[in-house]
């Protein structure tokens, strides 16, 4: 049983690495198997199709994002708006390290999957859409706390959280296409300025 879990995880990890570095359609099953050091029979034992693997890769990516970016950024050791600022700093540091290691800014795995597959596969599109929606929740919680503390006027926290996260997604597109993580750092500084009134800054 442990060996089965290890084999399945190796396949997911290999696919995540390859698809994140390139794209879903550019990476084939055989390359994934080679990268994971497994046979094709093992692949199809765990994943009836490449789409099933992609869904597992998205779930794994969500876990990693939560561990490496969300949990760190939104820990309650800082005031709520400072947590949002830290999110952009953490996002910048993640992509800066990725650029140093690979030579490329990878962008958001969910944005990458969504832009590539949303018009081609509804199941993948729905999975990405659900992950993006869940990713807005820490922002919404921080904004609600900021309103309670008088740091923000009464606002629609859900809509504002979606706007901030959409801004972050756009920044990552700019950084990826420009292959420049510094864009995340520079543009991230302006995120709160878009929602905090001038007399409260």
């Amino acid at each position: 049983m442990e060996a089965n879990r290890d084999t399945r995880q190796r396949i997911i990890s290999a696919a995540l690495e390859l698809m994140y570095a390139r794209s879903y359609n550019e990476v084939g099953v055989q390359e994934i198997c080679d990268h994971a050091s497994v046979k094709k029979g093992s692949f199809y034992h765990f994943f009836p199709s490449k789409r099933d693997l992609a869904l597992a890769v998205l779930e794994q990516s969500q876990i990693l994002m939560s561990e490496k970016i969300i949990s760190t950024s939104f820990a309650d050791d800082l005031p709520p708006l400072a947590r949002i600022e830290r999110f952009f700093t953490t996002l910048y540091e993640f992509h800066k390290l990725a650029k140093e290691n690979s030579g490329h800014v990878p962008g958001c795995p969910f944005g990458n999957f969504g832009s590539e597959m949303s018009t081609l596969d509804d199941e993948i599109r729905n999975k990405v859409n659900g992950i993006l929606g869940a990713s807005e929740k820490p922002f919404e919680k921080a904004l609600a706390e900021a309103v309670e503390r008088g740091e923000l006027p009464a606002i629609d926290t859900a809509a504002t959280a979606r706007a901030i996260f959409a801004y972050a997604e756009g920044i990552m597109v700019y950084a990826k296409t420009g292959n420049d993580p510094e864009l995340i750092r520079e543009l991230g500084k302006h995120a709160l300025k878009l929602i905090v009134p001038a007399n409260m800054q």
Side-chain angles (χ1 to χ4, degrees):
M1 187 66 72
E2 187 65 35
N4 282 345
R5 280 198 296 268
D6 178 65
T7 300
R8 183 179 186 277
Q9 186 56 51
R10 289 210 322 273
I11 294 170
I12 293 171
S13 297
L16 191 159
E17 181 181 342
L18 293 170
M19 291 177 182
Y20 192 24
R22 284 149 55 197
S23 73
Y24 172 84
N25 282 312
E26 191 179 331
V27 178
V29 170
Q30 185 61 61
E31 184 178 5
I32 293 167
C33 291
D34 292 344
H35 201 66
S37 299
V38 301
K39 297 183 184 300
K40 263 192 177 180
S42 295
F43 177 98
Y44 288 112
H45 171 74
F46 294 106
F47 303 102
S49 69
K50 187 180 170 186
R51 174 208 275 169
D52 292 297
L53 172 60
L55 296 173
V57 165
L58 286 167
E59 290 175 0
Q60 182 70 30
S61 297
Q62 185 178 20
I63 291 169
L64 292 173
M65 183 182 76
S66 178
E67 292 175 349
K68 294 184 177 181
I69 298 176
I70 297 296
S71 295
T72 299
S73 300
F74 289 95
D76 60 7
D77 59 319
L78 290 180
L81 294 181
R83 294 175 214 159
I84 295 175
E85 290 179 328
R86 182 165 60 187
F87 166 80
F88 285 95
T89 299
T90 306
L91 197 65
Y92 160 69
E93 290 170 348
F94 176 86
H95 283 85
K96 181 174 183 288
L97 180 61
K99 170 77 181 289
E100 290 170 356
N101 290 336
S102 70
H104 300 282
V105 175
C108 173
F110 315 116
N112 294 349
F113 258 100
S115 60
E116 180 184 5
M117 299 300 297
S118 286
T119 60
L120 303 176
D121 190 300
D122 283 344
E123 193 168 355
I124 291 177
R125 177 180 61 78
N126 288 333
K127 185 70 172 179
V128 171
N129 197 43
I131 292 172
L132 293 177
S135 300
E136 298 163 13
K137 296 303 180 184
F139 294 87
E140 184 178 353
K141 180 176 181 291
L143 291 169
E145 286 186 41
V147 171
E148 289 175 7
R149 292 162 59 112
E151 297 172 2
L152 286 176
I155 57 173
D156 183 334
T157 55
T160 306
R162 171 163 286 194
I164 294 173
F165 191 70
Y167 182 77
E169 285 290 317
I171 286 174
M172 284 187 278
V173 171
Y174 270 72
K176 180 176 180 177
T177 56
N179 198 31
D180 183 5
E182 295 302 320
L183 289 169
I184 299 175
R185 184 174 65 84
E186 290 302 321
L187 294 174
K189 294 176 182 177
H190 299 282
L192 289 181
K193 294 179 183 178
L194 300 175
I195 63 165
V196 179
N199 64 347
M200 302 182 77
Q201 291 180 14

